Amino acid sequence: MKQRAEFLKEASNVYRTPHYIVRQRLGLLYNDEEANQLISRDTYYERTPERDAEYEIRFKKRIKIDGKRICTNVIVREYKQ
């Protein structure tokens, strides 16, 4: 059985930029003293022909195939080759 692409694992949202496929993992940070915040841990995967093919298969029904980032208050970024 074929393994699921890394950029799909535990993803809340996935989208593409000209150079990367980005996995967003969203979470809610609760704070009793301040406002709660939506946080995002973003992992940027360099685009390759293999990753693009997997992305195209997974998101072929999207009207805008590249998708879009979900706005959050806090972002943590990580880059993978």
Side-chain angles (χ1 to χ4, degrees):
M1 178 164 60
K2 187 177 178 185
Q3 276 195 335
R4 197 169 174 190
E6 184 69 25
F7 64 82
L8 294 172
K9 293 179 182 174
E10 300 179 28
S12 303
N13 182 38
V14 178
Y15 65 95
R16 284 195 293 206
T17 70
H19 302 289
Y20 296 98
I21 294 175
V22 184
R23 173 182 67 187
Q24 269 190 292
R25 294 188 316 190
L26 302 174
L28 193 56
L29 181 62
Y30 297 99
N31 187 322
D32 291 335
E33 297 173 8
E34 301 283 336
N36 296 331
Q37 295 183 337
L38 184 61
I39 62 172
S40 179
R41 181 178 180 134
D42 297 357
T43 305
Y44 287 71
Y45 295 89
E46 230 177 280
R47 285 179 69 170
T48 64
E50 296 81 14
R51 285 185 181 136
D52 272 344
E54 185 73 29
Y55 184 97
E56 295 279 340
I57 290 168
R58 174 61 180 85
F59 298 108
K60 65 184 173 191
K61 292 184 179 180
R62 280 185 174 172
I63 293 170
K64 294 184 179 180
I65 189 84
D66 289 334
K68 181 175 163 177
R69 186 173 194 291
I70 296 172
C71 294
T72 61
N73 301 91
V74 179
I75 305 164
V76 177
R77 289 186 180 191
E78 176 182 7
Y79 291 84
K80 302 257 181 159
Q81 295 211 349

